[in-house]
Amino acid sequence: MTSISLARRAAPILAILAALATAPSYAQEVGVFEPTPCPIPLSHEGEVEGETYDCGIVAVPENHEADGGRTLEIAAMRLRATTLSPRPDPVFYLAGGPGSSGLHEFASNPTLFQNMQAMRQRRDVITFDQRGTGHSQILACGPFFAGIGVVGENFDEVNIADLEEIVEGRGAMSFIVAVCGMSYARVGVDLGQYNSVASAKDIAIMADAMGYGGSYNVYGTSYGTRLAQHTLRTTPQRVRAAIMDGTVSVSEPGNAHTSTKLGTQFDTIFELCAGDAFCNERFPDLRARFIAVLEDLSTAPLVLDPPLVGSDFFRNGGFVAVDRIDVSFFNRLGVFNNGAGRGGAAAFVPMLIQALEDRNTEYLRDIMGRGTLPDQLQVNASPDAADVFTPDDSLIAPSINLILQLAEASLAADGGSFSTDWLGAVIGEMNARLLEGETQAGIIRDLVELSLVPLQPTGASALVDFADRHLSSDTAATANALANAMDRQQVRETFWSIQDIAERMSGGGERTGVPGVAMGMLNAVNCAEDVGFFPPEVAEEFVAQTPYPGIGVQPVETYRVMYAACGLLPSPFSQAEITAPVESDAPVLIFSQGMDSQTPVTQGPLVAETLPNSILHVWPSEGHVIASRSPDGCAGAIAAAFLDDPMSVPDFSCSDDDYYRVPFDVAYELVFGDEEGQ
């Protein structure tokens, strides 16, 4: 699908969305830290808001090169150092994605939070939602997903069935990306300013506003490692030291590589087996044997009758009942290994290869476990409003159901703040209009415009304007009385609640879901810094070069459509200035993981090549981001030691613990006990 055909399909959608909101206005003071209640309180033991941690807002320019333009609110959380004499250089945590919420990552991931504690013993640790993510004026695509349905229901020249077919097809996400990106441009958002360079400049403004006028440290995970590299290039005088965890190179075509980078995980498994006396003795020449198995499965998949039912371990990895094994089996296994600890099922891979080359189904059942799942009880629940109300089409269905759910929750509540009461009045009227049989597309059009209200500066006038234009006179009077009684923070909390709705309008969570990535920000960054410079032929070349036929996370066709969509989004950089390797004399600690299928272990050494004061450490048994999977705090302790003395090699001895190896011998014994293997 070319960018021209995408634009042609998107044109009528943009026509309606362009009229939905006025251009954002421009009036907030830049570079001032405004203390606020935390949008996401920490539930971790010992944490008390206002004592051990606090939150606030810092306004930054949308365009750092323009005076007097639109501003953005960046939400930050500061974890106070546990010492009475903290060092002056804090650690800024840079979340992944691009598009993830740093606040949500700290609040919802106890292992990540634990690994930050060692650094916190001597310095403040700050997490924040990067521009366009989380509570920093999220660029959610959910409203525009619903907007596609609005167009299909209102415009005779657009067939809703055709739109549904597009959105359910292989190019669905790219089509939505194109509509989302161009729609934000039509309502006054400069999508060309949502990138790593702008975010690096935001950090410097935040540091000054929060009282850290000197240098600071950065700890980036996943995409955050790319952002960390851009902080070294964009604000070199401010960065004292950097830690990169789950490292990706700014110069590599990461998205084009997605079709094949899972192969590096299997390379690691075979290297580890070859270096392990126990594994190598029983399973020699494993790489060549794996390639032969893949070639065999590609032409003759193995059918299991009856289906193989996995053990608890394999069922947790998604292998509940396996009736057919083809090449895709190893793709699923690789994703499982990336997400689980101790290599996931990596220790079983040599045995699986041996069983499959012999087509020994009994051996496979021994490896993956015997037994049957218990019968599942059928629960007959009484239907709620969302179950008995039929949306007009699948595109607006998530938003229709969302209105019904929110209205039901509002009715069940005992009463709340000005913010919840204002939103309750708005959603209550939309719910009543639905139940009265009003045209659904018209109601969802109003919901789309509601979702865009937070593009305005934090002030009650934006709420009043919406109520006057979209609510009945009686409801508007109530809503406006509530809005005019709000203070600035109550307005902000109302904006956050509206953004909660926006991020759920596609049926998923772009702030709080799994993975909780703001799709507008994800694609603005990826298109401007990666995909837009590497045509589909690059992905095809990766596929042609891989020794493992069929191993990959996504087909090249998916990348082809994404590349076409990127042709419709802003391109603020030349390839040379944004993808050139970052050169810096700053001390850098680089973590890479052997089972990582998102930022392969091969990326760390590439980044280290142009950072002469870097230290590279590989965790062979682990998947993506060691700080999110190191249960004993080892990764955090190493990072803290590095920050204390960045020019010395820290003590890595805790990473030699038996936990951080792929246990080939243990897996073998689990399968065979004291018996000799097949």
Side-chain angles (χ1 to χ4, degrees):
M1 184 182 298
T2 66
S3 59
I4 294 174
S5 62
L6 274 172
R8 185 179 297 116
R9 291 181 175 187
I13 298 169
L14 296 174
I16 187 172
L17 294 176
L20 289 182
T22 57
S25 52
Y26 309 81
Q28 297 193 136
E29 187 175 359
V30 170
V32 175
F33 180 73
E34 180 184 344
T36 67
C38 290
I40 317 166
L42 295 179
S43 59
H44 306 303
E45 184 178 357
E47 299 298 340
V48 179
E49 185 173 347
E51 296 181 15
T52 63
Y53 72 99
D54 65 318
C55 293
I57 297 293
V58 177
V60 300
E62 182 180 61
N63 185 342
H64 284 277
E65 306 306 317
D67 294 330
R70 181 173 179 245
T71 58
L72 308 172
E73 290 194 344
I74 305 296
M77 175 185 289
R78 170 171 37 204
L79 309 178
R80 297 285 185 180
T82 55
T83 177
L84 295 177
S85 302
R87 298 189 180 181
D89 51 292
V91 181
F92 279 89
Y93 174 78
L94 315 181
S100 182
S101 159
L103 271 65
H104 276 280
E105 288 189 10
F106 267 37
S108 63
N109 189 327
T111 303
L112 173 66
F113 189 81
Q114 175 192 355
N115 275 292
M116 295 295 115
Q117 300 314 299
M119 286 170 275
R120 193 179 173 189
Q121 290 177 9
R122 283 174 285 282
R123 46 183 50 87
D124 294 345
V125 175
I126 299 160
T127 186
F128 67 102
D129 288 348
Q130 297 157 27
R131 56 171 55 205
T133 75
H135 290 82
S136 297
Q137 294 175 260
I138 185 171
L139 296 183
C141 287
F144 304 112
F145 179 94
I148 296 171
V150 172
V151 171
E153 297 292 346
N154 281 283
F155 284 72
D156 292 338
E157 63 269 28
V158 179
N159 187 301
I160 186 64
D162 290 344
L163 288 175
E164 288 181 307
E165 183 178 351
I166 294 170
V167 170
E168 292 168 3
R170 177 173 288 179
M173 185 52 65
S174 296
F175 179 68
I176 295 168
V177 165
V179 171
C180 179
M182 291 188 290
S183 297
Y184 272 118
R186 294 292 182 95
V187 299
V189 174
D190 184 355
L191 213 62
Q193 303 303 322
Y194 292 80
N195 53 64
S196 300
V197 173
S199 288
K201 295 175 181 178
D202 291 344
I203 298 169
I205 291 177
M206 276 194 296
D208 290 339
M210 297 175 76
Y212 308 105
S215 61
Y216 45 79
N217 310 283
V218 293
Y219 191 121
T221 59
S222 192
Y223 157 73
T225 67
R226 192 198 305 175
L227 177 53
Q229 290 166 69
H230 282 293
T231 65
L232 291 171
R233 178 150 58 200
T234 305
T235 55
Q237 72 284 2
R238 300 300 300 272
V239 182
R240 172 180 175 267
I243 302 171
M244 302 177 194
D245 183 352
T247 305
V248 60
S249 169
V250 300
S251 58
E252 286 295 293
N255 282 273
H257 200 190
T258 298
S259 297
T260 56
K261 62 188 176 185
L262 187 61
T264 60
Q265 180 191 115
F266 289 100
D267 285 336
T268 299
I269 294 172
F270 303 148
E271 291 168 7
L272 291 174
C273 181
D276 181 288
F278 180 91
C279 186
N280 190 50
E281 178 183 351
R282 288 160 178 77
F283 306 101
D285 198 22
L286 206 54
R287 187 172 186 268
R289 293 164 65 184
F290 180 57
I291 293 171
V293 164
L294 294 176
E295 291 172 344
D296 182 39
L297 291 175
S298 66
T299 57
L302 178 63
V303 176
L304 297 167
D305 185 17
L308 184 160
V309 178
S311 64
D312 289 346
F313 173 77
F314 276 98
R315 290 203 303 274
N316 287 336
F319 299 93
V320 177
V322 181
D323 59 5
R324 184 175 186 271
I325 295 180
D326 55 19
V327 174
S328 67
F329 170 86
F330 284 101
N331 290 333
R332 293 165 56 205
L333 194 73
V335 173
F336 175 39
N337 296 346
N338 176 56
R342 298 196 76 186
F348 294 90
V349 166
M351 290 183 282
L352 289 169
I353 291 172
Q354 185 178 67
L356 287 168
E357 64 186 356
D358 296 336
R359 292 192 167 246
N360 188 331
T361 58
E362 291 307 310
Y363 187 7
L364 279 172
R365 294 179 193 278
D366 285 337
I367 296 168
M368 297 188 69
R370 296 179 181 275
T372 59
L373 290 172
D375 292 336
Q376 294 185 356
L377 298 177
Q378 185 69 36
V379 178
N380 296 315
S382 59
D384 58 21
D387 293 324
V388 299
F389 195 94
T390 304
D392 286 343
D393 63 71
S394 62
L395 296 165
I396 65 174
S399 295
I400 292 289
N401 291 331
L402 185 57
I403 290 174
L404 296 166
Q405 292 162 11
L406 292 170
E408 184 177 1
S410 179
L411 289 172
D414 294 331
S417 64
F418 288 146
S419 173
T420 56
D421 289 346
W422 187 92
L423 204 57
V426 173
I427 296 298
E429 179 165 302
M430 289 183 180
N431 181 64
R433 290 162 60 191
L434 281 173
L435 299 179
E436 290 168 2
E438 187 174 326
T439 303
Q440 293 180 20
I443 297 168
I444 298 306
R445 178 171 177 163
D446 288 347
L447 186 66
V448 172
E449 183 157 356
L450 174 67
S451 74
L452 301 178
V453 167
L455 296 178
Q456 307 298 318
T458 306
S461 60
L463 301 176
V464 170
D465 181 61
F466 174 85
D468 287 343
R469 289 189 293 117
H470 296 280
L471 302 180
S472 67
S473 57
D474 288 345
T475 305
T478 299
N480 290 344
L482 291 166
N484 288 323
M486 294 180 190
D487 60 24
R488 180 177 172 81
Q489 179 57 26
Q490 289 165 335
V491 172
R492 178 177 289 119
E493 290 170 358
T494 307
F495 280 16
W496 287 342
S497 295
I498 295 170
Q499 290 166 353
D500 287 338
I501 293 173
E503 58 119 7
R504 295 169 61 190
M505 286 176 66
S506 62
E510 295 185 54
R511 174 193 283 161
T512 58
V514 179
V517 170
M519 295 305 298
M521 183 62 174
L522 170 74
N523 293 290
V525 173
N526 279 343
C527 288
E529 302 178 20
D530 178 7
V531 178
F533 299 116
F534 301 103
E537 289 75 20
V538 175
E540 292 170 354
E541 186 175 348
F542 280 130
V543 171
Q545 292 175 349
T546 181
Y548 306 125
I551 293 297
V553 178
Q554 72 177 18
V556 172
E557 183 58 31
T558 300
Y559 181 80
R560 186 184 308 281
V561 181
M562 174 59 70
Y563 178 78
C566 284
L568 300 172
L569 299 186
S571 182
F573 307 112
S574 69
Q575 182 172 357
E577 64 184 329
I578 199 67
T579 67
V582 171
E583 300 178 2
S584 173
D585 291 329
V588 179
L589 174 63
I590 298 173
F591 287 151
S592 287
Q593 294 80 38
M595 297 299 122
D596 194 337
S597 64
Q598 294 170 254
T599 55
V601 68
T602 53
Q603 295 280 292
L606 288 176
V607 174
E609 286 180 2
T610 55
L611 301 174
N613 291 319
S614 62
I615 301 166
L616 172 65
H617 186 69
V618 175
W619 306 74
S621 70
E622 299 308 302
H624 193 50
V625 180
I626 188 62
S628 292
R629 60 185 64 253
S630 176
D632 56 0
C634 176
I638 293 171
F642 168 76
L643 291 180
D644 287 346
D645 187 4
M647 298 307 292
S648 297
V649 177
D651 181 0
F652 290 107
S653 59
C654 65
S655 67
D656 295 328
D657 186 87
D658 191 59
Y659 178 86
Y660 298 108
R661 74 178 186 93
V662 175
F664 296 107
D665 51 345
V666 175
Y668 191 86
E669 186 174 350
L670 285 173
V671 174
F672 297 113
D674 295 330
E675 300 176 9
E676 184 58 33
Q678 301 283 321

